[in-house]
Amino acid sequence: HVQLVESGGDSVQAGGALRLSCVASGITVSTFCMGWLRQAPGKARESVATIETDGSATRADSVRGRFTISQDNAKNTLYLQLNSLEPEDTAMYYCAAEAPRGGYCYDLYNYWGQGTQVTVS
């Protein structure tokens, strides 16, 4: 049984920082393509950052230089450090996992967490 449990969301003022965590069970994060996605009310879900099985990371242009994705394999946990937060970052943030196909990631996630709310005012 796979579970992804996010935490760390909060209400902060613009310019503030948060660290989101996603604890995984039932999978090993180092062998999955892991991602953080977000969805604001009335908007489409968007990918924020991903980390592949070789450790390479990508970030959306809108968060580059402000957000950092990382993982702790010993804790089987994915993180997202959010700095210099802006009101436009307000959204529900989701952790997701994808079993790589042929060693590649396609942003077609198999497992999702329940989300953690980030509100920036």
Side-chain angles (χ1 to χ4, degrees), residues 35 47 51 61 63 94 115:
S47 177
I51 188 165
D61 289 342
V63 305
Y94 298 92

Side-chain angles (χ1 to χ4, degrees), residues 23-98:
V23 179
S25 58
I27 63 167
T28 302
V29 297
S30 62
T31 65
F32 273 68
C33 311
M34 302 298 298
W36 285 99
L37 300 94
R38 68 184 180 185
Q39 187 165 23
K43 294 188 177 181
R45 186 173 58 206
E46 64 172 341
S47 177
V48 176
T50 65
I51 188 165
E52 300 193 1
T53 55
D54 64 357
S56 59
T58 65
R59 283 167 290 185
D61 289 342
S62 59
V63 305
R64 189 164 289 123
R66 301 188 298 121
F67 292 7
T68 303
I69 188 171
S70 63
Q71 64 188 35
D72 184 329
N73 293 336
K75 295 182 178 179
N76 213 32
T77 299
L78 182 73
Y79 299 101
L80 185 68
Q81 178 68 41
L82 296 74
N83 296 330
S84 302
L85 281 160
E86 303 169 353
E88 293 73 24
D89 297 318
T90 295
M92 184 71 78
Y93 284 70
Y94 298 92
C95 167
E98 172 190 357

